[in-house]
Amino acid sequence: MKTYAIAAIPGDGIGTEVVAAGIEVLVAIAKRDGGFAFKIDHFDWGGEYCKKHGRMMPENGRDQIRKHDAILFGSAGHPDIPDHITLWGLRLAICQPFDQYANVRPTRVLPGITSPLRNVNGGELDWVIVRENSEGEYAGVGGRVHQGSPLEAATDVAMFTRAGVERIMRFAFRLARSRPRKLLTVVTKSNAQRHAMVMWDEIATQIAAEFRDVTWDKMLVDAMTMRMVMRPETIDTVVATNLHADILSDLAAALAGSLGIAPTANLNPERTFPSMFEPIHGSAFDIMGKGVANPIGTFWSAVMMLDHLGEKNAADRLMKAIERVTADKRFHTPDLGGKARTADVTAGVVDAIQGANT
Ligand code: NAD
Ligand code: MN
């Protein structure tokens, strides 16, 4: 029987709560499927680890997970440590060296969940946002001088490479082609940012020529926020820069009912390195330790992990189990207006996995 080695990195805050729930569900789905198993290795990296060891993960941390089949991640973010330290010290320290350049974020309004948009109750909102995940505004290029003096200056340089833009455009066009509507929106800001964003647009046009069967359009990021709210049904697949897609995908998650539902895959499409799966939300300091975090975003990320591993049947079965549970308001956590706890939702999904119809 095939056994997949999974590196579980819960991180901090509700990351620990939702990853524990995610593992329960993964174990249940493997058992139900019968064709594969998981070997799960736990890594206690993150803010608490940093307080003891002075860094978010060990120096050889990446070597410890390089050979795993996939990574299940919770959240990098600790109340006592500045966000740029936790993010760069853990999440980006994995994503960037492992060249997980395609960040894929599906959005749908799941059964039983209400979108804050009037007129939207299901099929009108079925998007996938592709976020460039290796460069752009998060390239880490920049500096700070004369700290504390009136002459202090700081820069964050958004760096785009032709190779980086070509590969994300190709990935997005290919993904758009694989979906029924074959529709791609390229998000840009080439009116104000007249160098890199203009190159971004030019490369989009060049790559589009390789995908004549995909209909595509181009949209300025500010106008895109309006379109997401006013005309959600006109959108299918979206590609945007690291920063733009970061922001748009939180909006997308909220429009689908809650940030607690939304999943992410950080893919290394060439499979030279393991890919990483995580809910898009963070540590949620306001609810951590209370047992009420919505684990659906992590479960849906587990679906994406199963898909990536090639376990299509198990992925479909888990998604069906998730939808059965969201359809039942008794399983709604407080972010969805309900009273359920993380453990209730988890038990509900495990039950649904074991049920005859999934
Ligand atoms: P957040 O996602 O942690 O929380 C935003 C709001 O959404 C909060 O009110 C929170 O309670 C709610 N929320 C989020 N996930 C939820 C869930 N599963 N169930 C119910 N409610 C949920 O964003 P933030 O407050 O901006 O960030 C908090 C910390 O997390 C910061 O340190 C930040 O850097 C970090 N963070 C990490 C990641 C990551 O590792 N991928 C992503 C975002 C934020
Ligand atoms: Mn974000």
Side-chain angles (χ1 to χ4, degrees), residues 40-294:
I40 295 173
D41 296 318
H42 299 262
F43 298 88
D44 63 346
W45 305 339
E48 287 300 320
Y49 181 96
C50 186
K51 285 168 125 183
K52 279 186 230 128
H53 303 278
R55 44 186 306 148
M56 292 290 288
M57 62 192 267
E59 208 163 346
N60 71 346
R62 278 189 302 275
D63 292 331
Q64 297 183 34
I65 57 176
R66 191 182 300 273
K67 292 279 183 317
H68 283 74
D69 294 297
I71 304 162
L72 182 65
F73 191 83
S75 172
H78 190 285
D80 306 337
I81 305 174
D83 287 341
H84 67 278
I85 305 279
T86 53
L87 182 70
W88 283 91
L90 188 60
R91 191 173 168 275
L92 294 182
I94 296 171
C95 282
Q96 296 193 344
F98 280 0
D99 211 16
Q100 295 163 348
Y101 64 83
N103 181 293
V104 180
R105 302 182 156 194
T107 307
R108 275 196 293 129
V109 183
L110 298 182
I113 291 177
T114 314
S115 164
L117 293 179
R118 261 177 310 151
N119 309 328
V120 166
N121 43 38
E124 299 88 346
L125 203 160
D126 180 357
W127 305 335
V128 187
I129 298 178
V130 176
R131 169 180 176 184
E132 201 298 313
N133 212 29
S134 68
E135 53 177 36
E137 305 86 346
Y138 299 178
V141 179
R144 201 164 156 192
V145 290
H146 308 311
Q147 280 196 46
S149 99
L151 293 176
E152 179 163 359
T155 58
D156 273 297
V157 179
M159 193 189 64
F160 290 84
T161 63
R162 171 166 284 277
V165 177
E166 281 184 359
R167 67 184 184 176
I168 199 66
M169 288 295 170
R170 227 169 243 126
F171 182 91
F173 272 98
R174 207 171 283 138
L175 181 63
R177 172 184 272 170
S178 76
R179 290 168 53 86
R181 294 173 72 189
K182 301 191 193 311
L183 186 63
L184 177 69
T185 300
V186 176
V187 173
T188 184
K189 191 64 192 173
S190 48
N191 55 345
Q193 295 180 299
R194 59 189 182 165
H195 308 293
M197 285 291 89
V198 173
M199 180 179 83
W200 170 270
D201 291 0
E202 284 172 13
I203 293 174
T205 307
Q206 285 163 15
I207 301 298
E210 299 170 17
F211 296 86
R212 301 251 179 231
D213 53 335
V214 174
T215 310
W216 74 288
D217 61 7
K218 199 174 78 179
M219 191 118 222
L220 297 173
V221 63
D222 39 355
M224 189 65 183
T225 59
M226 197 171 77
R227 178 168 165 193
M228 286 168 69
V229 174
M230 305 303 285
R231 293 185 294 133
E233 72 289 349
T234 66
I235 299 169
D236 187 80
T237 310
V238 176
V239 62
T241 69
N242 216 330
L243 175 65
H244 292 164
D246 187 8
I247 298 167
L248 293 180
S249 55
D250 271 31
L251 173 60
L255 295 178
S258 170
L259 192 54
I261 293 169
T264 291
N266 299 282
L267 298 179
N268 171 245
E270 290 73 28
R271 295 174 188 258
T272 317
F273 299 99
S275 292
M276 182 159 86
F277 302 82
E278 54 166 349
I280 84 166
H281 65 74
S283 299
F285 303 142
D286 51 340
I287 57 164
M288 67 184 185
K290 296 190 175 145
V292 296
N294 191 340

